[in-house]
Amino acid sequence: MSIALLFILAFISSCDKDEPKFSSSEIQRALFEMKGTYHGEMSVSYYHGETISEGNVCKAVSKDSLTVDMDLSLMAQSITDERIASRLRDIGIVQVKAAYEFLQMDEQMYHFVLLPKNVICYGGYGAPEAVKIVFDQSFGGDADYFYHSIIFNLSPKELWIGGEKYKSFQQLVYHFEGSYE
């Protein structure tokens, strides 16, 4: 009986439940092939449905990570508190930086999760209140390096104003589709 238990434990511990890991050379090749400035459109919707805004001109830059210009005035359209909505409109466009985590690589496409850093717009000392946007870490996209296009989602899930979580905030999804020449 103990031999069977030992065999089962060895089998379970040898199974790797994680997604396939890629070598550093495979990751470097993917980053090189995805490198560029992508021009396209950004749309914004609630996490569970209704579109807030679509067809907004946007750009994203892919190097060793992704940098995208995110328009907070689009987020402001979902905020009922006019003071907070006004603050977001005043901030305007912020840059979001996100690391790639590759899930799958095939002959033409790279599938990835984006790991965006939180965005903090400082305030205080007579300036308007600080704003912090916290992102969901489970959204990503696809890059078609043959056709030089990229599609991805970023999802702000929390909004903090002056150190307090804005409880009425509903999670959003910013969807980008673009290509480069």
Side-chain angles (χ1 to χ4, degrees), residues 13 18 53 58 72 89-91 94 96 106 130 143 161-162 175:
S13 65
D18 293 334
S53 179
C58 187
L72 297 187
R89 284 191 296 271
D90 288 345
I91 294 169
V94 295
V96 178
D106 53 41
I161 306 294
H175 176 77

Side-chain angles (χ1 to χ4, degrees), residues 1 5-6 14 17 47 49 51 94 96 103 107-111 118 121 135 138 142-143 151 163 170 172:
M1 184 69 172
L5 183 58
L6 183 62
S14 68
K17 295 180 183 177
Y47 179 66
T51 299
V94 295
V96 178
L103 301 177
E107 294 178 16
Q108 186 173 329
M109 299 283 285
Y110 295 123
H111 310 282
N118 296 338
C121 302
F135 290 90
S138 62
D142 302 308
I151 297 172
Q170 295 181 42
L172 301 174

Side-chain angles (χ1 to χ4, degrees), residues 18 20 27 29 36 39 54 58 62 79 89 106 123 132 137 149 154 157 163 167 169 172 176:
D18 293 334
I27 292 171
R29 186 185 80 237
H39 299 275
E54 56 185 50
C58 187
S62 180
I79 305 296
R89 284 191 296 271
D106 53 41
K132 178 170 86 170
Q137 301 291 303
S149 64
L154 293 170
K157 67 178 185 175
K167 297 196 185 320
F169 183 74
L172 301 174
F176 178 85

Side-chain angles (χ1 to χ4, degrees), residues 7-20:
F7 176 73
I8 291 171
L9 287 174
F11 177 75
I12 291 172
S13 65
S14 68
C15 292
D16 185 6
K17 295 180 183 177
D18 293 334
E19 294 294 320

Side-chain angles (χ1 to χ4, degrees), residues 22 26 29-31 33-34 38 100-113 140-152 177-178:
F22 300 102
E26 289 173 313
R29 186 185 80 237
L31 291 172
E33 289 175 341
M34 292 170 55
Y38 295 84
Y100 290 108
E101 180 180 317
F102 291 99
L103 301 177
Q104 182 180 355
M105 298 179 186
D106 53 41
E107 294 178 16
Q108 186 173 329
M109 299 283 285
Y110 295 123
H111 310 282
F112 53 85
V113 169
D142 302 308
D144 183 332
Y145 58 88
F146 185 77
Y147 289 106
H148 307 292
S149 64
I150 193 168
I151 297 172
F152 62 84
E177 293 185 32

Side-chain angles (χ1 to χ4, degrees), residues 33-97:
E33 289 175 341
M34 292 170 55
K35 186 176 183 177
T37 300
Y38 295 84
H39 299 275
E41 293 184 349
M42 180 80 76
S43 63
V44 181
S45 61
Y46 290 105
Y47 179 66
H48 292 290
E50 185 181 333
T51 299
I52 297 170
S53 179
E54 56 185 50
N56 301 289
V57 175
C58 187
K59 78 172 184 177
V61 178
S62 180
K63 293 183 181 177
D64 59 342
S65 61
L66 183 76
T67 303
V68 63
D69 293 337
M70 190 171 107
D71 188 350
L72 297 187
S73 69
L74 302 175
M75 182 184 293
Q77 294 178 33
S78 71
I79 305 296
T80 56
D81 183 316
E82 184 50 41
R83 178 185 61 82
I84 295 172
S86 177
R87 174 74 171 119
L88 295 175
R89 284 191 296 271
D90 288 345
I91 294 169
I93 295 174
V94 295
Q95 283 195 334
V96 178
K97 295 186 183 292

